[in-house]
């Protein structure tokens, strides 16, 4: 895509102005409209069909999580990036369950913000490291009410893994190597390697420990 059309939704004018000023310096990104609450965001998205909606969580009339859920139901081509000051597991998990394509904290650097925007606009997922760590801590330790509640209500797979990738994930978490995976799925060792590489890339992990933690955090294991 040559131009990324963006809609901003935040109840603070200064925040919207700051984001807009940052994006105006970037070639290939255009802020086409703004909203001050969730209801306005739905109306603006309906009228403009942006590529990406950047939205806060706590807003009057309709919060960002409910707005994201509605947008995912009504406008499947619109990508959603939650930009919030809240790093609690409750907000993060609810945003993921609503279908958010990314979650970024307002304290993020300019570089990370632009990375997240481009990743989400191109069809990927972006969850800031702080957010991923919070989710993983709660699922791995299982020591909070939110973690227990979320385990009972599985989070929808935000990585859109294919059926084959889920099979590979399951076998990798059983500590099977590429040769074992190839034999079990009746595929070549090279094909198993490619699937494993794509799986690690999608989940943005570098080793088995990170893969295991992230799979648990997002209800994939």
């Amino acid at each position: 895509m040559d131009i990324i059309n963006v809609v901003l939704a935040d109840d603070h004018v200064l925040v919207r102005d700051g984001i807009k000023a940052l994006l105006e310096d970037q070639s290939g990104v255009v802020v086409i409209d703004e909203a001050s609450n969730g209801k306005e965001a739905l109306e603006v998205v309906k009228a403009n069909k942006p590529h990406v909606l950047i939205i806060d969580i706590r807003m009057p009339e309709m919060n960002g999580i409910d707005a994201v859920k509605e947008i995912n139901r009504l406008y499947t081509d619109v990508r959603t990036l939650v930009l919030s000051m809240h790093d609690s597991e409750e907000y993060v998990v609810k945003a993921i369950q609503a279908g958010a394509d990314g979650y970024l904290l307002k304290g993020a650097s300019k570089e990370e913000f632009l990375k997240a925007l481009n990743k989400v606009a191109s069809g990927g997922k972006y969850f800031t490291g702080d957010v991923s760590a919070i989710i993983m801590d709660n699922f791995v330790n299982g020591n909070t009410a939110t973690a227990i509640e979320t385990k009972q209500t599985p989070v929808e797979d935000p990585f859109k893994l294919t059926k084959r990738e889920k099979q590979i994930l399951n076998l990798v978490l059983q500590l099977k190597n590429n040769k074992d995976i190839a034999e079990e799925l009746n595929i070549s060792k090279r094909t198993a390697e490619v699937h494993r590489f794509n799986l690690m890339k999608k989940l943005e992990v570098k080793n088995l420990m990170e893969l295991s933690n992230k799979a648990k955090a997002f209800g994939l294991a």
Side-chain angles (χ1 to χ4, degrees):
M1 113 187 18
D2 296 327
I3 300 291
I4 301 173
N5 291 325
V6 172
V7 162
L8 303 178
D10 195 295
D11 58 329
H12 294 98
V13 176
L14 285 176
V15 172
R16 298 201 307 270
D17 286 348
I19 297 172
K20 192 161 55 173
L22 185 155
L23 294 179
E24 283 175 349
D25 287 339
Q26 304 301 311
S27 59
V29 182
V30 178
V31 177
I32 57 175
D33 213 336
E34 302 174 41
S36 61
N37 59 60
K39 284 188 177 180
E40 281 186 16
L42 290 177
E43 294 170 2
V44 170
V45 166
K46 179 180 180 180
N48 294 280
K49 302 296 192 302
H51 297 120
V52 180
L53 168 68
I54 299 174
I55 188 167
D56 189 18
I57 289 181
R58 297 192 67 176
M59 296 185 293
E61 302 212 31
M62 176 186 281
N63 66 56
I65 291 173
D66 288 342
V68 166
K69 187 173 183 179
E70 280 299 290
I71 285 165
N72 272 278
R73 183 177 68 85
L74 298 171
Y75 313 108
T76 55
D77 291 337
V78 177
R79 310 285 293 171
T80 53
L81 173 61
V82 173
L83 182 62
S84 175
M85 64 182 288
H86 301 287
D87 61 359
S88 73
E89 65 271 18
E90 178 185 1
Y91 284 116
V92 173
V93 170
K94 284 183 177 179
I96 294 170
Q97 288 176 326
D101 298 299
Y103 195 111
L104 193 64
L105 300 179
K106 286 184 175 177
S109 66
K110 173 182 176 181
E111 290 73 20
E112 186 180 15
F113 175 69
L114 295 174
K115 178 182 178 182
L117 174 60
N118 282 285
K119 185 73 177 285
V120 167
S122 64
K125 304 285 182 180
Y126 191 93
F127 297 95
T128 187
D130 293 339
V131 167
S132 293
I134 289 163
I135 301 172
M136 282 187 241
D137 273 347
N138 281 284
F139 278 82
V140 172
N141 298 327
N143 59 359
T144 68
T146 305
I148 295 170
E149 178 185 345
T150 309
K151 284 179 180 176
Q152 293 171 346
T153 308
V155 178
E156 181 182 352
D157 172 16
F159 304 102
K160 308 300 182 190
L161 299 182
T162 64
K163 182 178 179 181
R164 178 64 84 191
E165 285 168 345
K166 289 177 180 177
Q167 290 176 321
I168 298 287
L169 174 62
N170 183 52
L171 293 172
V172 169
L173 294 179
Q174 293 177 38
L175 303 182
K176 293 184 181 292
N177 59 33
N178 290 329
K179 182 181 177 182
D180 294 335
I181 292 172
E183 290 176 355
E184 185 145 345
L185 298 180
N186 196 26
I187 58 178
S188 71
K189 182 181 176 183
R190 175 59 181 161
T191 299
E193 290 171 352
V194 171
H195 280 305
R196 187 168 183 157
F197 173 81
N198 289 338
L199 177 66
M200 303 281 279
K201 187 176 180 182
K202 274 190 178 182
L203 269 68
E204 297 183 334
V205 296
K206 298 176 182 177
N207 54 52
L208 181 59
M209 178 64 72
E210 289 183 6
L211 178 66
S212 177
N213 287 343
K214 204 158 196 176
K216 290 176 183 176
F218 287 92
L220 302 175

